[in-house]
Amino acid sequence: MRQKRAKAYKKQMNLYVHTFKFREPFQTIVDDEIVLLCHKGQFDIVKGLNRTIQAECKPMITQCCMQALYLTENQEAIDLAKSFERRRCNHNIKEPKTPVECVQSIVDVDGENKHRYIVASQSTKLRRKLRAVPGVPLVFMNRSVMVMEPASDASKRAAALKENAKLQAGLNDKKVGYLEKQEEPKADQPMPKKRKGPSEPNPLSIKKKKKEDKPAAKVEESGKKKRVRHHKGRSQNQDGTDEQGNSEERSEERSEENGKAQTHDDESAVGASFTKDKSESSKDASQSDEE
């Protein structure tokens, strides 16, 4: 596809999307003539539609167009048309309408494209009728190239009217730009009571619990001794016995200290007597020498 033509198609599809609210995947009505022509020229109709529209499309065919294909007895073209989604036209199968009438009846609903269909048709009569309906993109085959028609005059007029309505809405409509006031509760109606109660703590301020191993916890529990409870009278007796034992220990310590002091005094006395005897014997020896 040429770049200039691709830009023009993109601009046209933006017009249909923003003004007439088309949405992907675009529903595309296909008639019997374009199916036969694409099959004859070995043209992939689905890829051609996606490339022309420049978006994902969903090909659809009506029951009346299928009846027209059955009359051609071209089995390959029939199989190709069966791969498309069937669009119910609610026409009698025994007395089907022509493809032109059938497609026009489902596209032109009260003078507008209510279901937002793209029409891919090789019939000039059908395309001429649908040009009068605003918001109908038309696609056809020009030799071996799939082409999209420029937006019709009806579509351009409808787009211009909508744009002008958007621009002038703020000038003519007094309500535009003002916020709606909220309705105040009536005096008869009681005000809804707020729920009172302690608020939950901040989850970020709560300390996370440490994960403990279950077997280790059991071992610690088994290692701990059970706490024995004592009665009040027993505890008092125990306190008395403890005081007695402490006093006895103190008296024994004092007696030991006194014994140690006495032995020390005895030892000092013995030493003094020994020194005295020695001094006396030395004096006697000196006297004898003098004599």
Side-chain angles (χ1 to χ4, degrees), residues 63-74:
Q63 188 62 41
C64 296
C65 293
M66 285 299 300
Q67 292 296 329
L69 283 172
Y70 288 140
L71 296 174
T72 61
E73 297 181 356
N74 188 342

Side-chain angles (χ1 to χ4, degrees), residues 18-19 158-168:
H18 295 300
T19 306
L161 287 171
K162 285 193 176 182
E163 289 298 324
N164 290 332
K166 288 179 184 177
L167 291 171
Q168 295 174 4

Side-chain angles (χ1 to χ4, degrees), residues 28-188:
T28 308
I29 300 295
V30 179
D31 71 344
D32 59 325
E33 291 184 18
I34 199 167
V35 171
L36 290 168
L37 185 63
C38 289
H39 175 259
K40 186 179 179 181
Q42 295 180 352
F43 183 83
D44 192 342
I45 188 170
V46 179
K47 288 183 179 179
L49 287 170
N50 290 337
R51 187 168 57 249
T52 305
I53 298 166
Q54 299 183 33
E56 186 183 355
C57 70
K58 184 166 65 174
M60 307 173 76
I61 192 166
T62 62
Q63 188 62 41
C64 296
C65 293
M66 285 299 300
Q67 292 296 329
L69 283 172
Y70 288 140
L71 296 174
T72 61
E73 297 181 356
N74 188 342
Q75 190 59 40
E76 292 181 356
I78 292 168
D79 294 338
L80 176 63
K82 281 183 177 179
S83 65
F84 303 150
E85 186 177 332
R86 194 68 58 87
R87 170 64 166 87
R88 291 183 181 179
C89 56
N90 298 325
H91 297 146
N92 191 1
I93 298 173
K94 295 179 181 179
E95 296 177 0
K97 290 189 176 183
T98 61
V100 174
E101 293 175 352
C102 179
V103 174
Q104 187 183 3
S105 67
I106 63 173
V107 174
D108 186 3
V109 180
D110 298 332
E112 62 178 2
N113 188 5
K114 186 177 179 180
H115 302 289
R116 302 176 183 88
Y117 288 131
I118 297 171
V119 179
S121 174
Q122 206 62 24
S123 173
T124 54
K125 184 181 177 182
L126 176 61
R127 284 183 299 182
R128 186 173 63 251
K129 288 182 177 181
L130 293 178
R131 285 190 195 108
V133 182
V136 182
L138 299 171
V139 178
F140 66 98
M141 289 293 295
N142 185 9
R143 296 180 183 177
S144 60
V145 181
M146 188 171 280
V147 181
M148 183 189 293
E149 283 191 7
S152 62
D153 295 336
S155 299
K156 289 178 181 178
R157 281 197 300 271
L161 287 171
K162 285 193 176 182
E163 289 298 324
N164 290 332
K166 288 179 184 177
L167 291 171
Q168 295 174 4
L171 299 173
N172 300 328
D173 193 359
K174 294 181 180 180
K175 294 182 180 179
V176 174
Y178 290 93
L179 295 174
E180 294 181 0
K181 292 183 179 180
Q182 295 181 355
E183 294 182 0
E184 296 181 358
K186 295 179 181 179
D188 299 337

Side-chain angles (χ1 to χ4, degrees), residues 19 22 24 101 179 274 278:
T19 306
F22 278 59
E24 289 187 40
E101 293 175 352
L179 295 174
F274 180 73
K278 192 176 181 181

